[in-house]
Amino acid sequence: QVQLVESGGGLVQAGGSLRLSCAASGRTFSSYSMGWFRQAPGKEREFVAAISKSGGYTHYADSVKGRFTISRDNAKNTMYLQMNSLKPEDTAVYACAADMGGIATMSISYDYWGQGMQVTVSS
């Protein structure tokens, strides 16, 4: 089992940047593919980005491609999401998740979840 804790969320103006972190404890972090998801008010949870166990492969939702960068540091048991050129439509609760299998875009594939944190982008 792995426990996930997100940090780095908050309020930022449109065009600004934020760096989200997801710290893992418990089982070996490098045993998990990792992902970021978000959920805006009144909308379903959506995939944002995912990274393979080694960090060698990444995948992004079209809506964030070129603006967001996912990365991980297995020595620090931490995953990151660098978010640049933020837009008001990026406003959502962002959550990280761990998948014992391969990289995935569907939330049902993930085994463990963080509690989520708010990211608000003002116009």
Side-chain angles (χ1 to χ4, degrees):
Q1 189 171 353
V2 63
Q3 293 78 41
L4 304 173
V5 178
E6 302 98 338
S7 61
L11 174 64
V12 64
Q13 289 188 331
S17 298
L18 279 177
R19 189 193 197 200
L20 307 185
S21 297
C22 174
S25 61
R27 287 191 60 182
T28 306
F29 181 62
S30 59
S31 298
Y32 298 92
S33 298
M34 299 293 294
W36 286 100
F37 288 78
R38 67 186 182 186
Q39 187 167 18
K43 295 187 177 181
E44 294 187 352
R45 179 186 288 169
E46 66 172 348
F47 169 77
V48 176
I51 190 166
S52 62
K53 296 175 183 179
S54 67
Y57 181 77
T58 58
H59 183 68
Y60 297 91
D62 288 342
S63 59
V64 306
K65 200 172 294 183
R67 300 188 298 122
F68 291 10
T69 302
I70 189 171
S71 62
R72 67 189 294 165
D73 186 338
N74 286 346
K76 295 183 178 180
N77 292 346
T78 304
M79 174 182 65
Y80 307 97
L81 186 68
Q82 178 67 43
M83 306 188 296
N84 298 329
S85 302
L86 283 161
K87 305 175 181 179
E89 51 264 43
D90 293 318
T91 295
V93 172
Y94 284 71
C96 63
D99 176 7
M100 295 187 69
I103 195 169
T105 62
M106 296 182 64
S107 60
I108 195 173
S109 298
Y110 288 81
D111 305 290
Y112 303 101
W113 291 83
Q115 78 283 0
M117 63 183 167
Q118 181 68 44
V119 170
T120 303
V121 184
S122 63
S123 57

